[in-house]
mmCIF file of all heavy atoms in Angstrom:
data_model
loop_
_atom_site.group_PDB
_atom_site.id
_atom_site.type_symbol
_atom_site.label_atom_id
_atom_site.label_comp_id
_atom_site.label_asym_id
_atom_site.label_seq_id
_atom_site.Cartn_x
_atom_site.Cartn_y
_atom_site.Cartn_z
ATOM 1 N N GLU A 50 79.218 27.004 -31.669
ATOM 2 C CA GLU A 50 80.107 27.851 -32.507
ATOM 3 C C GLU A 50 80.710 28.913 -31.684
ATOM 4 O O GLU A 50 81.921 29.246 -31.819
ATOM 5 C CB GLU A 50 79.383 28.509 -33.691
ATOM 6 C CG GLU A 50 78.906 27.524 -34.767
ATOM 7 C CD GLU A 50 77.562 26.824 -34.441
ATOM 8 O OE1 GLU A 50 77.014 27.088 -33.302
ATOM 9 O OE2 GLU A 50 77.077 26.048 -35.270
ATOM 10 N N SER A 51 79.933 29.535 -30.784
ATOM 11 C CA SER A 51 80.558 30.573 -29.970
ATOM 12 C C SER A 51 81.485 30.012 -28.923
ATOM 13 O O SER A 51 82.531 30.670 -28.609
ATOM 14 C CB SER A 51 79.476 31.467 -29.342
ATOM 15 O OG SER A 51 78.526 30.726 -28.578
ATOM 16 N N VAL A 52 81.196 28.818 -28.426
ATOM 17 C CA VAL A 52 82.142 28.163 -27.486
ATOM 18 C C VAL A 52 83.489 27.935 -28.241
ATOM 19 O O VAL A 52 84.565 28.261 -27.701
ATOM 20 C CB VAL A 52 81.569 26.805 -26.976
ATOM 21 C CG1 VAL A 52 82.673 26.026 -26.236
ATOM 22 C CG2 VAL A 52 80.312 27.004 -26.113
ATOM 23 N N ALA A 53 83.416 27.380 -29.467
ATOM 24 C CA ALA A 53 84.657 27.149 -30.215
ATOM 25 C C ALA A 53 85.365 28.446 -30.479
ATOM 26 O O ALA A 53 86.585 28.499 -30.490
ATOM 27 C CB ALA A 53 84.327 26.411 -31.496
ATOM 28 N N SER A 54 84.686 29.540 -30.755
ATOM 29 C CA SER A 54 85.251 30.806 -31.106
ATOM 30 C C SER A 54 86.090 31.384 -29.924
ATOM 31 O O SER A 54 87.009 32.170 -30.170
ATOM 32 C CB SER A 54 84.224 31.823 -31.558
ATOM 33 O OG SER A 54 83.601 32.423 -30.371
ATOM 34 N N THR A 55 85.783 30.939 -28.686
ATOM 35 C CA THR A 55 86.611 31.424 -27.566
ATOM 36 C C THR A 55 87.945 30.724 -27.593
ATOM 37 O O THR A 55 88.872 31.145 -26.841
ATOM 38 C CB THR A 55 85.953 31.124 -26.212
ATOM 39 O OG1 THR A 55 85.889 29.715 -25.990
ATOM 40 C CG2 THR A 55 84.513 31.667 -26.123
ATOM 41 N N GLY A 56 88.093 29.625 -28.322
ATOM 42 C CA GLY A 56 89.353 28.861 -28.284
ATOM 43 C C GLY A 56 89.249 27.532 -27.575
ATOM 44 O O GLY A 56 90.187 26.751 -27.471
ATOM 45 N N ALA A 57 88.052 27.291 -26.940
ATOM 46 C CA ALA A 57 87.887 26.040 -26.245
ATOM 47 C C ALA A 57 88.003 24.853 -27.218
ATOM 48 O O ALA A 57 87.373 24.911 -28.311
ATOM 49 C CB ALA A 57 86.470 25.958 -25.546
ATOM 50 N N GLU A 58 88.723 23.787 -26.866
ATOM 51 C CA GLU A 58 88.872 22.658 -27.769
ATOM 52 C C GLU A 58 88.160 21.464 -27.291
ATOM 53 O O GLU A 58 88.008 20.453 -27.936
ATOM 54 C CB GLU A 58 90.406 22.369 -27.946
ATOM 55 C CG GLU A 58 91.129 23.519 -28.641
ATOM 56 C CD GLU A 58 92.609 23.282 -28.686
ATOM 57 O OE1 GLU A 58 93.194 22.777 -27.680
ATOM 58 O OE2 GLU A 58 93.215 23.708 -29.725
ATOM 59 N N ILE A 59 87.746 21.515 -26.004
ATOM 60 C CA ILE A 59 87.085 20.315 -25.387
ATOM 61 C C ILE A 59 86.091 20.844 -24.366
ATOM 62 O O ILE A 59 86.320 21.876 -23.729
ATOM 63 C CB ILE A 59 88.100 19.354 -24.721
ATOM 64 C CG1 ILE A 59 87.361 18.214 -23.978
ATOM 65 C CG2 ILE A 59 89.015 20.131 -23.790
ATOM 66 C CD1 ILE A 59 88.277 17.144 -23.472
ATOM 67 N N ILE A 60 84.901 20.196 -24.308
ATOM 68 C CA ILE A 60 83.945 20.576 -23.262
ATOM 69 C C ILE A 60 83.661 19.394 -22.421
ATOM 70 O O ILE A 60 83.968 18.234 -22.739
ATOM 71 C CB ILE A 60 82.662 21.128 -23.893
ATOM 72 C CG1 ILE A 60 81.939 20.046 -24.748
ATOM 73 C CG2 ILE A 60 82.940 22.406 -24.674
ATOM 74 C CD1 ILE A 60 80.586 20.451 -25.204
ATOM 75 N N LEU A 61 82.959 19.640 -21.297
ATOM 76 C CA LEU A 61 82.661 18.572 -20.324
ATOM 77 C C LEU A 61 81.179 18.373 -20.295
ATOM 78 O O LEU A 61 80.354 19.314 -20.335
ATOM 79 C CB LEU A 61 83.173 19.007 -18.979
ATOM 80 C CG LEU A 61 82.978 18.027 -17.771
ATOM 81 C CD1 LEU A 61 84.149 18.029 -16.837
ATOM 82 C CD2 LEU A 61 81.654 18.328 -17.012
ATOM 83 N N GLY A 62 80.769 17.143 -20.277
ATOM 84 C CA GLY A 62 79.310 16.828 -20.057
ATOM 85 C C GLY A 62 79.087 16.089 -18.754
ATOM 86 O O GLY A 62 80.051 15.395 -18.272
ATOM 87 N N ASN A 63 77.953 16.182 -18.153
ATOM 88 C CA ASN A 63 77.739 15.566 -16.819
ATOM 89 C C ASN A 63 76.863 14.322 -16.989
ATOM 90 O O ASN A 63 75.691 14.378 -17.365
ATOM 91 C CB ASN A 63 77.028 16.531 -15.892
ATOM 92 C CG ASN A 63 77.988 17.662 -15.403
ATOM 93 O OD1 ASN A 63 77.702 18.817 -15.576
ATOM 94 N ND2 ASN A 63 79.075 17.262 -14.830
ATOM 95 N N THR A 64 77.475 13.163 -16.638
ATOM 96 C CA THR A 64 76.799 11.914 -16.802
ATOM 97 C C THR A 64 75.508 11.850 -15.995
ATOM 98 O O THR A 64 74.458 11.389 -16.472
ATOM 99 C CB THR A 64 77.756 10.795 -16.336
ATOM 100 O OG1 THR A 64 78.712 10.585 -17.358
ATOM 101 C CG2 THR A 64 76.978 9.510 -16.057
ATOM 102 N N TYR A 65 75.481 12.387 -14.750
ATOM 103 C CA TYR A 65 74.307 12.345 -13.945
ATOM 104 C C TYR A 65 73.171 13.058 -14.624
ATOM 105 O O TYR A 65 72.060 12.504 -14.757
ATOM 106 C CB TYR A 65 74.560 12.982 -12.531
ATOM 107 C CG TYR A 65 73.304 13.171 -11.703
ATOM 108 C CD1 TYR A 65 72.738 12.092 -11.109
ATOM 109 C CD2 TYR A 65 72.734 14.422 -11.642
ATOM 110 C CE1 TYR A 65 71.551 12.293 -10.335
ATOM 111 C CE2 TYR A 65 71.558 14.577 -10.896
ATOM 112 C CZ TYR A 65 70.981 13.488 -10.268
ATOM 113 O OH TYR A 65 69.821 13.677 -9.528
ATOM 114 N N HIS A 66 73.383 14.325 -15.094
ATOM 115 C CA HIS A 66 72.279 15.051 -15.744
ATOM 116 C C HIS A 66 71.832 14.373 -17.048
ATOM 117 O O HIS A 66 70.638 14.234 -17.297
ATOM 118 C CB HIS A 66 72.708 16.476 -16.089
ATOM 119 C CG HIS A 66 72.828 17.363 -14.861
ATOM 120 N ND1 HIS A 66 73.954 17.489 -14.123
ATOM 121 C CD2 HIS A 66 71.910 18.123 -14.250
ATOM 122 C CE1 HIS A 66 73.757 18.345 -13.153
ATOM 123 N NE2 HIS A 66 72.538 18.711 -13.157
ATOM 124 N N LEU A 67 72.808 13.910 -17.832
ATOM 125 C CA LEU A 67 72.459 13.389 -19.143
ATOM 126 C C LEU A 67 71.752 12.052 -19.044
ATOM 127 O O LEU A 67 70.874 11.721 -19.856
ATOM 128 C CB LEU A 67 73.728 13.287 -19.976
ATOM 129 C CG LEU A 67 74.289 14.593 -20.461
ATOM 130 C CD1 LEU A 67 75.740 14.489 -20.917
ATOM 131 C CD2 LEU A 67 73.421 15.278 -21.503
ATOM 132 N N MET A 68 72.102 11.232 -18.074
ATOM 133 C CA MET A 68 71.440 9.904 -17.912
ATOM 134 C C MET A 68 69.934 10.097 -17.546
ATOM 135 O O MET A 68 69.142 9.246 -17.855
ATOM 136 C CB MET A 68 72.179 9.057 -16.875
ATOM 137 C CG MET A 68 72.017 9.433 -15.442
ATOM 138 S SD MET A 68 72.925 8.368 -14.251
ATOM 139 C CE MET A 68 71.847 6.945 -14.172
ATOM 140 N N LEU A 69 69.637 11.206 -16.835
ATOM 141 C CA LEU A 69 68.231 11.429 -16.453
ATOM 142 C C LEU A 69 67.462 12.091 -17.569
ATOM 143 O O LEU A 69 66.353 11.820 -17.845
ATOM 144 C CB LEU A 69 68.186 12.363 -15.251
ATOM 145 C CG LEU A 69 68.817 11.801 -13.939
ATOM 146 C CD1 LEU A 69 68.728 12.809 -12.832
ATOM 147 C CD2 LEU A 69 68.231 10.435 -13.562
ATOM 148 N N ARG A 70 68.098 13.005 -18.345
ATOM 149 C CA ARG A 70 67.440 13.769 -19.390
ATOM 150 C C ARG A 70 68.512 14.282 -20.324
ATOM 151 O O ARG A 70 69.323 15.089 -19.900
ATOM 152 C CB ARG A 70 66.655 14.884 -18.810
ATOM 153 C CG ARG A 70 65.739 15.636 -19.747
ATOM 154 C CD ARG A 70 64.830 16.604 -19.044
ATOM 155 N NE ARG A 70 65.558 17.610 -18.310
ATOM 156 C CZ ARG A 70 64.973 18.510 -17.489
ATOM 157 N NH1 ARG A 70 63.726 18.456 -17.218
ATOM 158 N NH2 ARG A 70 65.712 19.409 -16.861
ATOM 159 N N PRO A 71 68.550 13.959 -21.555
ATOM 160 C CA PRO A 71 67.574 13.172 -22.304
ATOM 161 C C PRO A 71 67.711 11.686 -22.268
ATOM 162 O O PRO A 71 66.954 10.982 -22.947
ATOM 163 C CB PRO A 71 67.810 13.613 -23.780
ATOM 164 C CG PRO A 71 69.286 13.909 -23.772
ATOM 165 C CD PRO A 71 69.667 14.387 -22.418
ATOM 166 N N THR A 72 68.563 11.111 -21.432
ATOM 167 C CA THR A 72 69.015 9.752 -21.212
ATOM 168 C C THR A 72 70.124 9.396 -22.194
ATOM 169 O O THR A 72 70.125 9.823 -23.340
ATOM 170 C CB THR A 72 67.844 8.668 -21.413
ATOM 171 O OG1 THR A 72 67.542 8.498 -22.748
ATOM 172 C CG2 THR A 72 66.617 9.087 -20.554
ATOM 173 N N ALA A 73 71.007 8.503 -21.693
ATOM 174 C CA ALA A 73 72.119 8.076 -22.495
ATOM 175 C C ALA A 73 71.663 7.279 -23.710
ATOM 176 O O ALA A 73 72.271 7.319 -24.787
ATOM 177 C CB ALA A 73 73.107 7.260 -21.669
ATOM 178 N N GLU A 74 70.572 6.555 -23.495
ATOM 179 C CA GLU A 74 70.054 5.716 -24.597
ATOM 180 C C GLU A 74 69.600 6.624 -25.769
ATOM 181 O O GLU A 74 69.882 6.299 -26.893
ATOM 182 C CB GLU A 74 68.891 4.879 -24.045
ATOM 183 C CG GLU A 74 69.266 3.715 -23.095
ATOM 184 C CD GLU A 74 69.715 4.144 -21.716
ATOM 185 O OE1 GLU A 74 69.494 5.333 -21.357
ATOM 186 O OE2 GLU A 74 70.345 3.352 -21.004
#
Side-chain angles (χ1 to χ4, degrees):
Chain A
E50 292 83 357
S51 56
V52 172
S54 80
T55 67
E58 295 174 323
I59 175 170
I60 62 172
L61 181 144
N63 288 123
T64 285
Y65 171 76
H66 286 92
L67 291 163
M68 72 181 281
L69 298 180
R70 188 171 62 189
T72 75
E74 288 72 15

